Each structure stands twice: as C-alpha cells, then as structure tokens.
Amino acid sequence: MTCHNPLEPATSETLKGKPGSKIFGGSGAPRETYRWQVPLFDNDSNFICSGALLTKNQGASPDWVLSSAQCCDGRSSIIAKLGDFHLDSYDNGEIVISSDKIFILEDFQKFGEWSGNDACLINIGRVTASQSTIYEPVCISNDMPIDGAMCYVSGWGSLKALSGNLNNLHASPVNYFPDNYCASIGYGNIQTSSEFCAGVPDSIFDETKDICNGDVGSPLVCEIAGKPVLSGMFSWGTSACVGPNRPSVFSKVSAFVPWILDITSQGSTTTTSPPTTTTPSGPPTTTTSGGSTTTSTSGDLNCFGLTSEQYSMEVTNFWESSGNYNFQVRPSVPLTGFTDTYLLKVNFKWPVNDIETWGNTVNNPVPSSASESEDWDLFFDNKWDINPVEFLLQGSVASQHISDASLTTLLPKSLKICLPDGVYPDGPAEPAVGQTNWLDYSGALEKSILFYEAQMAGPLPDWHRVAWRGDATLTDGCDVGVDLTGGFYDAGDFVKFNFPGAMAIHTLGWGLHQFKAGYEDAGEYENALRVFKWGVDYFVRCHVAPNELYAQVGDGYLDHAFWDRPEEMDMNRPAQKITPSKPGSDLAAGVSALFSTAALVFNDSDSAYAQDLLQRARELLTFATTNLGKYSDSITGVSEFYKSWSGYNDEIILAGASVARASFVVDSSSFNSDVTAAKDLFNSHYPGPADEYSWDNRGEGANVMMFDVLTLAGEDASVYSSRIQGFYSRLQSLPKTPGGMVHIAEWGSARHATNAAFVLKVAADLNVPIGGLSDWSKSQLDYVLGNGPSGHPTINGVQSSLVVGHGSKSPHSPHHTSSSCPPYPQSCGWSDFSKAGPNHWTLYGALCGGPRTATDVFINDRSDYVANEVAMDYNSGFQGLLAAFSDTTPTTSTPQNCDGAQGVIPSSPAEPAVGQTNWLDYSGALEKSILFYEAQMAGPLPDWHRVAWRGDATLTDGCDVSVDLTGGFYDAGDFVKFNFPGAMAIHTLGWGLHQFKAGYEDAGEYENALRVFKWGVDYFVRCHVAPNELYAQVGDGYLDHAFWDRPEEMNMNRPAQKITPSNPGSDLAGGVSALFSTAALVFYDSDPAYAQDLLHRARELLTFATTNLGKYSDSITGVNEFYKSWSGYNDEIILAGASIARASFVVDSSSFNSDVTAAKDLFNSYYPGPADEYSWDNRGEGANVMMFDVLTLAGEDASIYSSRIQGFYSRLQSLPKTPGGMVHIAEWGSARHATNAAFVLKVAADLNVSIEGLSDWSKSQLDYVLGDGPSGHPTINGGQSSLIVGHGSKSPHSPHHTSSSCPPYPQSCGWSDFSKAGPNHWTLYGALCGGPRTTTDVFINDRSDYVANEVAIDYNSGFQGLLAAFSDTTPTTTTTPYTGPTTTSESTSTTNGGGGGSDCDAFSKTGELTQYGLEQSFSGNCEFAFDSGIELGNNKLRCIATDTIAMVADSCPECNAGDVDSNLLVWNSVTGNESPSRFDASWEFVECPSAFRPNPKSQLRWKTGSSQWWLGLQPTNTRFGIVSITARRSDGNEFSLPLGGNDVGFSFWFLSANSFFDTDQYPITIIVTNTEGDTASGTVFSTSEIVANTYLDLDALL
C-alpha cells in the first residue's frame, strides 16, 4: 500500500480506540478518536452530513473535506466544524469554517435511494495542526483493504430506523465485503468500479450495527499497513437501516484518488484576480528539506559566504571506531553585521553521516539532502549578543570515504550564513531602542509606534523597522477580487477586525492632530504619521463603494487555533462586508470618524487626499444613518470576538461631530451646515452616559469632539462640558487599584484607563472648564508606565510598568503569537505558547491588559489573555497621552506651577550683545526694539529668549480661575497684563510684520520678530477661552503700582478678569479680533491650520463684540484708573471688520466677498468720525487704512477711505510741532503718538494711497525719535540725543521701568532704586521713551517723571513697524492704484528684455516675480498669480521697452506671492531667461488677446488620475473665470461638479468623486458657464475618453 503524497497525514498513528461501540444502537466514541471526522451544516446551522479531513500538504494541517456529493449538491456554501464532538454545544478547540469552494465529482448520479460517483470536495483553507488531539487529516490510498478486513465507521446517525440524529459522535466496527457480495444479495444498482459494501456478514448478523440515512458522507476507515486509510464514504442503503442482507453502500475512495489529487492541486491555488492593478501577490511557497521548512517567495536563500579571514575553525580531536572516523571541530564565527538568528551552512570534504553540537547558541543539525551528506545546516541563535559564536561540533565519516584522516583533512571546507529570501526581512533583530526611565514619555512614545509596526500586515514598506516581521497575508481580498492587503493585525492574532481597528486608527489620528506638538518635540511625528497613513490607506481600500465597506478579513475561529508566524499562514482568510442589505451603522460611522480625523491630519500636506477622505466620511455617515443596523448582526462569526454591545448610536454621533470638525479646516464653506447636522444627530442618536471610551462605546469621545466643534462655531457648548464633567465624575467613583489606576473592567483594565484618560486630556487641551482633567489623565499614564503618583504595578513583587520593554522591569510574556516564535526557520507552534519565560522577541511598546482586579499585582502569564492581551485599540489612547505629555510647551487649562513659586531669578545675568549704532541705523534700532519686547515677556521664558537679566515670572497667572494665563507681555514699567492696550500693541506689531516683511528680512530680524509676535498671539489665544469669553486683565493695577521690585520675586495676588455677554467689552473683543485676523495673515504661509483657527477666533470675537455692546472699562474692576476706553468701541469694531476681510483674502478666499460686504456695513453703522491719533484708545484712522487695502483688493472704489486718510494727514500737519519737527499730539507719550500716526500713514503710502508726502513725513517722525530728524532732534542736557534707550551716541538711560532699575540678584530691589539718581542698572535696549511733554525738543530723562519717561508695549508697536519699513533696501515707487483691466488688446513683442528691476519702467504694479511651469509653450487659463491668490484675467509684464502677456500654463497651487505661472515663450520674451528665476518687473491686468490662444475655442483638461470613478476638470484657454460646470447624462440626470479650489473665477479644478461618470448612460454633455453668463459645451461618448492630461474641446470660446 502506498499513501499518495502529499495526501498523507502528519502522523502515522493507527486507528485510535477501536471501541466496540456502535453507530446504530451503541454507545458514544471517545472524543480523541476518529479525529478526521467532521460534521457539515447548512447556512441555517442544520446538520446535514459528515465528511473526512484531508490535506494536500505534508504535515498535519487539514485544508480539505471529502464527503458525499449528495451533501454538496445544490448548495452554494457549507459550514464545517472541526473538532466537534457534541452537535448541540461548543467543544473546546472547535473551529467553525464556512466555505463556498465546493467541487462535485463530474459523473455524480442520483437515482432515488441510490447514487453513483458520489464524492465532493470542500476547500476549507489551511488549518493549524496545533489541536491535533481533536482533529487531523486521514490518509487516502490507491489500495483497498483485503476482503473481510475490519474497518470502522463513525457518525451522528440515528439509533434506530427513521429516528432522529444523535448528539454525540458514535462509531462501530464493520467488515469490508468483496465487490461481488452486494450484487449477489440483490443490490443490482451497485457500481463496483466506484462503490463497495460494508456491514456485518449474515453468519454473525447483528442488527445493532450499521449506518443509517443520517450519516451520508460518514467515513469508513480501514487499517492498512498500520495506518488509518480512508477507504469509503457512506452513500446509500435501505430505509430500514439494518437487517439481513441489508449492508450499506460506500463510495470507493481509491477510485477517486486521481480526481482528488487534481482538485486539491488546483482548487486552493486558483483564485479570481481582483480587477485592479494592486492585486496582492500570491502566498510564499513552502518546501521541506531534511525535516526543516523553508518559507520563501523564490525558494532560495540569501547566503553570505565567510572567508577564512572571517572565521576560525580547528579540528580538536579525531578517532576511529566501528568503521567511522569521528571528529570534533570548534568553529568560531564572528557576528559583526550578522546578529540574532541565522542558518549556518557547513560544507565538508567528505559525506558526513552524523553531527552533534554542544553550546547554548547552536542547535538542530540537519543534513541538506540525504542522511549522509557533505552539506549540513545548523541553526544558531545570537539572542544574547555573543560575539564571536563558538561551539563544539562532533561528527563521523565512514572510513571508506577517507584514507588519510587527519586534523586537516577532516576540517570543513566552507561556512555560509544564510537567511530566507523574500518573506523574512534581512537581518532580523530587535529594534534599536534604548532603556528608558519610568516617565520618559518620548521614549515610551517611540516604543508604542514600534508596536504598531510589529502589527503591520501585507507587503511591508521600506521604512518598516521591526526586522523580525516580514511580508504576510499577501492574498487578503483575493476571494472577493479586492485588494485588502495592508492594515494591522488586531491583537496577538492575525484577523483584521475592522470595527475595533477603526476605533484604534481614529484615536491615533485624533492624538496626532490634537497633540502634534508633542509628537514633534519627541521627534516621532513622521514615524507616527506614516504608521497612521498605513492604517488609513487600508480602510480606503476597504471602502469599495459609497454603501459597501469591508468589515473583516480572516476567520476568528481558524485564526485563534493557529499559533505560528503570520508569514507562514496559508489558511482561508475570508473577507466580509457590510452593504445596505447587511448593514453595519456602527462600523460605517466608525470608519467615517476615522476618515474625517485623517482629513484633518493630512490637509496641510496633501489637501486632495484630505478632501477625498472627507468625502468618504460623508458617504459612510449617510450609509450608516440610512441603513440602520449593527455590523455584528451582519458579519458571520464576529459576535464571538467583537460584538457591538452598545449598538451604533455612539459611532453615529462621533461621526457627525468628526465630519464637522474636519470641515472647519478642509471644507470651511460647509462648516455651519455640518455643525447643524451634527447637532441633529446628537438629538436623535445620543446613547446616554457611559463609563468608558472603547472600541464598543465611543460616546464620551463624541461629547469631547462636539465640545470642540461648538467652540469653533461660537456656540454654547455647556451641555457637552456638563457631560464631560459627568464622565469624569463617574470615573472618580469607580474602584481603583491601590496605586491609583481606575479599574473600569476586568479585561484590558489598563487599556480602559488610558483610553478614558486620553479623552479627558483632549478635553483639558480644549479648555473644557473642569479642574483636574490633565492631572488625572497624567496619573493614569504614569501608573501604566510604572510610576504613578500613588503607586505602581508590580510583577513578582517588583515595581514594573505594564508596557513591554519600558522601564527597568516590564512584561516579557504578552499574549502575542509572532513575538513568541523563535527565529525562522525554527518551527513555531503551541509549544511556544505554553513555554515558560519571555517571548523570543521584545514586543516594544505594547500595553498589556493589566490587573484583572483592583489590585496592583500583575501576573505576566502568556496564557492569561485577559490580563496579558495586547491589541491595536489598547495602545491608541495610550499613545495619544504619551504625545500630549511629550509636549514641552504648557498647553493645559491650568498653569503648571499653581502650587510653586511665581518666578525664577536668572543666574549670571548680562546685558544683551548689542553694538553701538548710528542715529539713522534703522536695522540696528529694529534689533533693539525686538529686545525691548523680550525684556517685557512674562511667564516661563523660552530657550530663544535673549535678555539674560530677566527670568521666569508670574508663573501662576490664571490659577485663580483655573485657566492658563501665563505668557504674554507686561504692559510698561509695571507687571500688569492690561489686554486692551496690549491687543493694540500686538495687532500693530503683526500689521508691520505683514506689511513690511521685506524690511524685517533685509535687517535679518524677521524670525526674531516673528517669535516675539507669536508669544503675544499665543497668550491672547489662551485668554480667549470661549466664543463669548475673553480675559481682559491679569493683575491688580493698584497693588502692582505700589511694587518696585523684580517680577521674578513678585508674590502678590494677580486676579484675572474677563468680559462675557453679561459683562461686555466690545472694544476689547473687537481689538483682539483685529489682532487674530492680522496674525492669521502673518502665519498663513508657515502654519495654515493655525491661521485658520485664528481667523475663526476673529470672527467669533467680532460677533461677540457686535451682539453684546458695551465698553470693557465698564465691566472690568479698577481699570478706569489706568486704561479707560475713552473713545468707546466703534473704532475697534470697524477695525475688526476690515481686518477680517483683509485676512480672508488670503486665508479663506471663498468668504472674501461676503467679508468685504460685512466690513462696509460695519463702517456704515459704527464709523466714529475723524481722530487725530492712532493709539490704544482710538484706532479708527488705522481702520480707514485697512479698509482702503481691502477695497483695493476687491477691485472696488476706495476713494472715501483715501479721503479720510488725507484728512488725517492734513490734521496732523496742522497740529503743533517741536522745533525739530515731531508732531505733538498729546503730552503723555508724545513720541509714541507721533510714531504710531507715522506708522499708519507709512502703511497707506505702501498701499499706493494717492497722497503726496506720506512716506517722507513718516520718515521724518521716525528720524526725529532716532535722534536726527530733518529739521532737528531731541536733546538731553543740551546734547543731541535719541528717545530710544541704548540707541545713538546719547540716549535715555533712566526710563520709568522697574525691573531694569534693579541691581543684580541677590541684591535687594525696592523704592530706593526708583529714587536713586543715575542710569538704570540694566540697559533697556530699544525702549521708546514717552518724549517731550510740551512742544519742545528738550527731553528730561528722569525716572520719576513717568509722563515723559514711560515705556510701554504700545509705544514701540508703530515705531517698530516704521523701522522695518525703512530697513527695506528694495527701492519702491509710488504708483497709481489698480483700477481694473484695460479694454485695449495688447500684442506681444519678441524682443528680449533686460533682467534687473532697476531698468524697469514704473507701470501699475512692481515687485519680484518667479517663473513656474516651464514645460508647455501654450496652454492654460488666462490667469496670473500675484500677492496671495489667483487673479482673474491676463497679465502684461513690462521691462524696459518690452511688453508681454503672461498666461497660466498649468495649475499652480504652490504659487507664492509674486509668482508667475506662464510659459517659456512669455518668460523668455520678457527676461531672456528660460530658467526659473526672480526679477523685478511692472505689470497690469489686461484682457487675454486672441493672438495668444492655442485654440479658437475653450477646452477642458482631464486632471491626472481621472477616471469614471474620480475625475477633475480644468478649464483652459478661457478669457473669463468659470463659475460652474454641469454634467448631463443621456437619461437626463445632472450633476454639478463642485469647485476643487477657491471661489468663483479663482479655481483651477472642478471635481467629481461620486461615480456620476461610472455609468452606461452615455453620451454625457458637459456644460461650462463663465462669469459673464456665457456657456459652452462638450460631449463625452464613453468612459474610454476620460484620459488624464488630455483635452475635451468645447463648442465656443468662453
């Protein structure tokens, strides 16, 4: 007898048990017998048949079931239960597999009660052999048993005729009858070629033994040559079951062996390829050699030959015995560059017939071919980093092979180090992770990211760092024709459960967005981002249609019976999805939330990807709400693993809030409607309170997300802050471990604690007004890291973390399959699950489940999966917490130092290194002015701070109201933070940074000024705690002005006061609104998300100001004595309106037109009339200049504002002046008034307001305070002087400024230092002193005269902007403002122009231009990029005598200010330079001339990547902007393609991502409409015409 390899079982055990029990009338069979028997069920779980397990591979892993064709006939799928003994209950280790891969023998016949060729094969995928005590395959053979042989039949058939099936497996011995027996007793229908009879012969007839009808397909196994061989399957018999001359008929398995071999060699390897180009590659092949298994995609090894210089080897002994030469060899192999586990191939000169090894690092010697071989394979393990590896090798060679045995001739010829190729990574090794302290958040963050890399599935990318992991599960999705590779394995197993997976990836993304600064400070942002994107991309692949989403890949039952590497897995991994008929609202909404949050994360780096993700999020939310149902009711088998216990309401509200949160950044035009939709979802789906944030219940996270959304929307979020308070309170009432970890649930207790802590830390970061959130969150994080504030976990009584590889002691045996496996090619299985000691590989960063009860004792036992489970969702909130506390910038709602000292006195203070400057050294004075602001900085000072005699101070600001109000600037020589004048100062600084950026850059001071400005902006952001709440002051003016000492030593009460709707302050709210808008302009290029947030805040505050009218000084106690709002709030309101419009032109261009209208309405309602100043109290004249800028950008008439500016200038000329020429507006701070007014008029000059003399007059005021005005200068004690401390050959030295007057610490400071004569101890570089009190040039520098010697942050604000304006070394020309396109068509000159800007004639605009888009000679829209956006129309460039029209050649989303996106001919005709370059030129806008058109009609260009499923259309060759594109199908359905970019006339792409074009309703007509109302159309006749980067001709010129 020969068993057909590879259909041979893993073991050669004979038939077990051989019980005398009976199927019919007998007792049950022991469970561990008949392990090949498998019951088969229909889709309603009804028992139908039996079958036998087979394998196509050597080894004991079954992958096929052989049964009767009667069982399979007419069925689309069958369920098999491996290891099932009791039909009505679950047996331990039982595996349930559903398969639709059914193969029926082609010649099957069914005639009444009898059948012929009755065989069927069912492919169940490969199943692990680890449970071989309850299931294993059986052998088949070409041979049949001898006549009369004893065989055994088993099944669940009835105990008597026509009765029901049994519950337990039964078995009975029967005899095999010869072929002619059944025919001789009247079975005329038997086909002896494929059937035989078995039963009990008449002479020993026993009516209790036989097979009943219920056992169709039951195996009959005979013992042949000591092996159990499947000889038959029950096919048919008589209805009476048993009786004389009534044997049963069995299908003859030996007759079907060729068919079985043919099907099994094809059926499991032939799959339908997915209809995409990203079809996963096939699985690695498995080959066996000499007992060792090698897994490789190519079957090869990467072997590195070692030279004799790389190793040493000597024969230490040899002897002869029993016809063999025995020898001992001691190799020494250096492992430089070769670490961990490898295969060592040893090649001998002679055939060696036996090898043994001694040494801790080498084991398992096997020959590479026959038992007598020259080539032997040794596995060596360098886990303990031994170098070199040394061991003793003993072998023997038959003496007939060698005649001159010696120490030399017995020496091996060569050594090679080998590694399997393809599937396993080169050089598997532990990641290079250093030891960390308990609370090293950044180190733990690095490890957590590595944990996710260890969980990665599919073809691993180059950046993957966990070297002991390789490509795996490469055919995921092949069963459904969709690429479902990638993503992450759920836990210690290898199923991709998408429900908990979506929660994990969403939470990771939430942390990436909310705590980006922490990731960056830890140096881990890019690592985390690419891991996150790996997960997002997988879910994108799962989302195959708007209403279809794959929910799972893999079979939980099969998978959980497998303990081996994923790289060696080849079991069936079915993919299941949710659809409208099989809904899963919880899953769809969960993935929707994931996509929305991912859109937030990727918007800055890949806006198109972000928009696609947000579109997918909207689709899935619609799918979820219109097809209600739990996913676990639709997905087979998942309820045993991740049942949706809480339902779908929590995911739906989270999805709604997440879409709204994303649209605020990604699709701001939809934000308001998304907020409304989210509120509606909360009203209809809010599930009520919970005590957790988990994969099953995410409602508490939704509350936090919605608080964020409503705060951004400027709406009342108190209901959500109350819910968050409730969540926090419930957590406090739950049991805790003695060390302080909240114990929410037994399973994964640490996961629950850190996920809840993450949500509350986000709430703290969003300034939810609840005390203690951040501290409590930190306590939970610190506990799992091994050092909580009240205690810590213990392992074996020793302090430990719960994070693998973190701290001096940590878990080492997590319930995790692949990390427990030894290095390949050593085998891995359930013995590795059961072994004591650490997992072989350190699963860095994995958070273990944690204590099962409210105790600190953690039992690290791999077999206890409740406490030692690791999973994707476990690490998700934990990782976000690590990032939050890796942020070195305080972001909590309460200052970090409320219980500590208010200040820190600097050690070894010194003057800043500032050189002497000439009077009119603008750049030098600019440097000093920035230093003055650094001297005024409050709070914990940053590393870049340069005024060494200042230290951290007033560190508890805001503690009285539980809000972090540290930072910002002290107002003047005192230490109050008066936010009304402070807002004017910071706004004016930002205005100068934006308007005169070139001057800052030419002076080399832009970065210094920018960080000082941001210090102020960030402080005001902290003050803006809610849409209608803004802190107005920190400190008490009366107390403060009675204090003369260092701020670092101040410990007085510093109360914080705020404005609210009941205590309004329209002037303050309007002023801070203007600040935020201008800051949005400044930061847009470097941080657009920050800029968008600032603009949103500006809108909130303007609404607050106008809907709650009132002066702030009527609401804030005690401020009237210091900064009373004398002029009221009208000036700040109009400035805020103009500033928002100016910012939206750049930051939110789609809202620009509406913002212009709103600003004009505000001026109509609130214009306060003319003034003679621009100051902290009255900013109306600045508002006029800002509004002129806005209307000019809008192309509207700005003459009313130029007239008002003229009036301001004229009034200033009529005011008194000092003899030296400084206008004297007021006694207090006269120099401040002069320079602030001059700043506003210098901005007007820079904006080309057509008023003669503005720039010159502004310069005269600046030059005067610098000490050398055109008509004179200030004097101190009769000598020429500046009014700037430390500037010029003579300058003020005794400003009214407390801290600079104090001597070095530890010398005391007090009122005696105020009174003493002489200079302040420290030079307060750059401070502009108040100036002459009267219209004289005489300045009396007396510290006690605060009217003349005051210094303050508003004093320097306009002054600093002037310095930047006149530090600009680029010559500027006063020109006429742009008034619209000309009506004259221009022609092109082919004369090459010059290069430099100095040769260019003044025209209508002048600036520095950069060429882009050099590949195409003619194409594109007639548009031009300049300033901050895309301008409608064409552009004429002029340099010397050359005029040229510039046209856009392709979309230019990356264009910066002054960038031209034109073509080679245009550029060359103007500059003579065909390369990208910068040059100065003048330009005007003109109508696009026909001579420059590549075609007589307009066209549409298909964007790169376009197809019928997603496409973009770019209008080209147009004269005017395009306002709409509509597609109309032949069935009459229409779709309006939305703009992909900015507003009407400014966009390049119109996009379709809704599969409108994926239809058979062609032709499709595309109608294009321009800004003039003209239309043109083109026709697409099939999807084949949608080809990227080709053009569709329209029927007219637009």
Side-chain angles (χ1 to χ4, degrees), residues 653-727:
I653 60 172
L654 177 65
S658 299
V659 166
R661 182 60 185 88
S663 74
F664 178 74
V665 173
V666 182
D667 181 18
S668 59
S669 63
S670 302
F671 177 61
N672 291 336
S673 60
D674 286 333
V675 172
T676 300
K679 290 189 292 186
D680 291 343
L681 289 175
F682 267 85
N683 290 335
S684 56
H685 290 278
Y686 180 61
D691 296 342
E692 66 187 59
Y693 171 73
S694 67
W695 60 263
D696 180 54
N697 196 323
R698 302 161 75 182
E700 297 302 333
N703 286 325
V704 174
M705 186 73 77
M706 197 60 181
F707 178 90
D708 190 8
V709 167
L710 291 183
T711 302
L712 292 173
E715 299 187 21
D716 181 14
S718 58
V719 67
Y720 298 96
S721 59
S722 296
R723 288 173 180 172
I724 297 166
Q725 176 69 69
F727 181 41

Side-chain angles (χ1 to χ4, degrees), residues 1413-1419 1447 1449 1462-1466 1492 1494:
L1414 295 175
E1415 294 182 0
Q1416 296 166 298
S1417 61
F1418 290 111
S1419 68
M1447 293 173 57
S1462 67
N1463 57 66
L1464 277 176
L1465 297 183
V1466 169
F1492 267 75

Side-chain angles (χ1 to χ4, degrees), residues 910-1111:
E911 300 279 17
V914 177
Q916 188 55 266
T917 53
N918 300 320
W919 298 118
L920 302 188
D921 179 1
Y922 303 124
S923 297
L926 179 59
E927 175 192 17
K928 297 190 182 86
S929 178
I930 297 168
L931 283 171
F932 164 68
Y933 281 102
E934 293 190 35
Q936 295 299 101
M937 287 169 61
L941 301 180
D943 293 340
W944 50 261
H945 183 264
R946 297 174 293 172
V947 181
W949 47 269
R950 276 297 325 286
D952 297 349
T954 56
L955 300 179
T956 59
D957 283 358
C959 284
D960 59 322
V961 291
S962 296
V963 175
D964 182 1
L965 298 177
T966 58
F969 299 92
Y970 302 127
D971 169 59
D974 56 2
F975 307 115
V976 182
K977 291 188 286 197
F978 291 109
N979 286 359
F980 186 48
M984 176 269 179
I986 304 304
H987 165 258
T988 304
L989 280 181
W991 198 0
L993 267 167
H994 171 70
Q995 197 69 39
F996 304 121
K997 180 179 180 180
Y1000 276 105
E1001 291 176 331
D1002 287 350
E1005 292 297 324
Y1006 182 74
E1007 293 302 323
N1008 290 330
L1010 189 67
R1011 60 192 186 185
V1012 163
F1013 175 59
K1014 191 173 188 296
W1015 185 262
V1017 176
D1018 286 346
Y1019 164 72
F1020 275 99
V1021 168
R1022 289 194 288 276
C1023 290
H1024 184 214
V1025 291
N1028 291 342
E1029 294 184 20
L1030 176 68
Y1031 278 89
Q1033 183 174 316
V1034 180
D1036 183 310
Y1038 296 101
L1039 285 176
D1040 192 280
H1041 285 200
F1043 175 85
W1044 196 273
D1045 202 343
R1046 306 174 183 90
E1048 295 83 1
E1049 295 188 277
M1050 177 186 289
N1051 59 9
M1052 68 178 66
N1053 185 38
R1054 289 174 59 83
Q1057 299 183 68
K1058 65 182 177 181
I1059 57 172
T1060 65
S1062 59
N1063 289 292
S1066 303
D1067 34 17
L1068 175 61
V1072 179
S1073 172
L1075 184 165
F1076 284 158
S1077 295
T1078 301
L1081 268 179
V1082 171
F1083 291 110
Y1084 181 69
D1085 286 345
S1086 60
D1087 192 344
Y1090 183 54
Q1092 288 166 341
D1093 177 64
L1094 291 169
L1095 183 55
H1096 182 75
R1097 290 176 180 274
R1099 296 187 196 280
E1100 288 180 343
L1101 286 172
L1102 179 55
T1103 301
F1104 177 26
T1106 55
T1107 55
N1108 302 276
L1109 294 173
K1111 296 199 301 180

Side-chain angles (χ1 to χ4, degrees), residues 1086-1405:
S1086 60
D1087 192 344
Y1090 183 54
Q1092 288 166 341
D1093 177 64
L1094 291 169
L1095 183 55
H1096 182 75
R1097 290 176 180 274
R1099 296 187 196 280
E1100 288 180 343
L1101 286 172
L1102 179 55
T1103 301
F1104 177 26
T1106 55
T1107 55
N1108 302 276
L1109 294 173
K1111 296 199 301 180
Y1112 97 105
S1113 53
D1114 292 339
S1115 299
I1116 302 303
T1117 302
V1119 77
N1120 279 334
E1121 294 298 316
F1122 304 98
Y1123 286 102
K1124 180 178 180 177
S1125 181
W1126 298 97
S1127 67
Y1129 47 71
N1130 289 335
D1131 54 306
E1132 285 84 12
I1133 287 177
I1134 61 172
L1135 177 65
S1139 299
I1140 285 175
R1142 182 61 185 87
S1144 74
F1145 180 76
V1146 174
V1147 181
D1148 181 19
S1149 59
S1150 62
S1151 302
F1152 177 60
N1153 291 335
S1154 59
D1155 287 334
V1156 172
T1157 301
K1160 290 189 291 186
D1161 291 343
L1162 290 174
F1163 267 84
N1164 291 335
S1165 302
Y1166 291 97
Y1167 180 61
D1172 295 343
E1173 66 186 62
Y1174 171 73
S1175 67
W1176 59 263
D1177 181 53
N1178 196 323
R1179 301 162 74 182
E1181 297 302 333
N1184 285 325
V1185 174
M1186 186 74 76
M1187 197 61 181
F1188 176 90
D1189 190 8
V1190 167
L1191 292 183
T1192 302
L1193 292 172
E1196 298 187 22
D1197 181 15
S1199 59
I1200 187 174
Y1201 298 98
S1202 60
S1203 297
R1204 289 173 179 173
I1205 297 166
Q1206 176 68 70
F1208 180 41
Y1209 181 45
S1210 298
R1211 289 190 300 278
L1212 291 173
Q1213 306 309 305
S1214 66
L1215 291 176
K1217 297 178 180 62
T1218 71
M1222 185 185 80
V1223 64
H1224 202 275
I1225 298 172
E1227 176 189 13
W1228 199 321
S1230 59
R1232 165 262 314 261
H1233 280 294
T1235 53
N1236 280 346
F1239 167 78
V1240 168
L1241 293 180
K1242 176 56 180 170
V1243 174
D1246 199 60
L1247 294 173
N1248 294 326
V1249 176
S1250 53
I1251 301 172
E1252 293 294 330
L1254 292 183
S1255 186
D1256 291 342
W1257 183 83
S1258 298
K1259 185 174 184 296
S1260 73
Q1261 302 303 295
L1262 175 62
D1263 291 352
Y1264 179 88
V1265 301
L1266 290 175
D1268 195 13
S1271 305
H1273 50 73
T1275 62
I1276 296 179
N1277 298 327
Q1280 180 178 2
S1281 173
S1282 77
L1283 297 178
I1284 316 300
V1285 178
H1287 180 79
S1289 56
K1290 189 174 185 63
S1291 65
H1293 54 57
S1294 304
H1296 182 83
H1297 188 265
T1298 308
S1299 58
S1300 65
S1301 75
C1302 292
Y1305 184 84
Q1307 298 178 55
S1308 63
C1309 183
W1311 284 101
S1312 60
D1313 295 285
F1314 165 79
S1315 304
K1316 73 180 179 182
N1320 286 17
H1321 184 86
W1322 304 106
T1323 304
L1324 189 64
Y1325 282 109
L1328 172 66
C1329 288
R1333 299 181 64 160
T1334 61
T1335 54
T1336 174
D1337 293 324
V1338 177
F1339 175 65
I1340 301 173
N1341 186 204
D1342 179 356
R1343 185 183 305 109
S1344 64
D1345 180 2
Y1346 47 80
V1347 175
N1349 290 272
E1350 182 87 276
V1351 295
I1353 58 175
D1354 69 295
Y1355 283 31
N1356 268 63
S1357 59
F1359 165 66
Q1360 183 168 306
L1362 279 176
L1363 289 169
F1366 291 104
S1367 294
D1368 186 354
T1369 59
T1370 303
T1372 58
T1373 306
T1374 304
T1375 58
T1376 305
Y1378 165 61
T1379 58
T1382 67
T1383 58
T1384 304
S1385 178
E1386 301 288 335
S1387 60
T1388 304
S1389 169
T1390 58
T1391 304
N1392 290 339
S1398 59
D1399 297 326
C1400 295
D1401 299 333
F1403 206 69
S1404 63
K1405 291 280 185 180

Side-chain angles (χ1 to χ4, degrees), residues 172 332 1037:
S172 175
S332 176

